[in-house]
Amino acid sequence: DVSKISKPFFNRQGFVKSYIIDNWKEIVGEEYYKTSIPEKLRIQKGGGVLIIAADGATSTEMEYMKIEIIKKIKIIMGIGQLIELDLE
């Protein structure tokens, strides 16, 4: 049954995305919290991609923070699979 296989994946993905949204201010700080938002989370075999919507200036600044943001998410969530951020 496909639902037995996919349900844990979607539950996990939904939980992680919800937790990231709820803790976005802690993850990126006050300044970027106001000008960016986690838009989509794609978890695939071997890793995941968090897509962040941000205005042009914020997107450019956050490019330099990618590694730090990923580290914070991994620490807060205790997850190891997030490997990439995509700023849009």
Side-chain angles (χ1 to χ4, degrees), residues 10-80:
F10 288 112
N11 286 345
R12 172 88 171 139
Q13 184 173 356
F15 173 76
V16 172
K17 183 177 179 185
S18 173
Y19 199 87
I20 290 170
I21 290 170
D22 292 345
N23 292 279
W24 191 238
K25 190 176 197 177
E26 182 181 345
I27 294 167
V28 297
E30 181 76 31
E31 180 181 352
Y32 298 113
Y33 169 76
K34 293 177 181 179
T35 55
S36 67
I37 187 164
E39 192 170 70
K40 186 186 290 186
L41 178 65
R42 291 188 310 230
I43 297 177
Q44 306 153 4
K45 191 173 187 176
V49 177
L50 177 62
I51 298 170
I52 301 169
D55 65 31
T58 300
S59 181
T60 301
E61 292 173 16
M62 289 181 78
E63 281 288 336
Y64 297 104
M65 297 176 51
K66 279 184 171 184
I67 294 171
E68 184 180 331
I69 293 170
I70 291 170
K71 284 180 185 177
K72 285 184 179 181
I73 291 171
K74 286 181 176 183
I75 290 169
I76 289 170
M77 292 299 302
I79 59 172

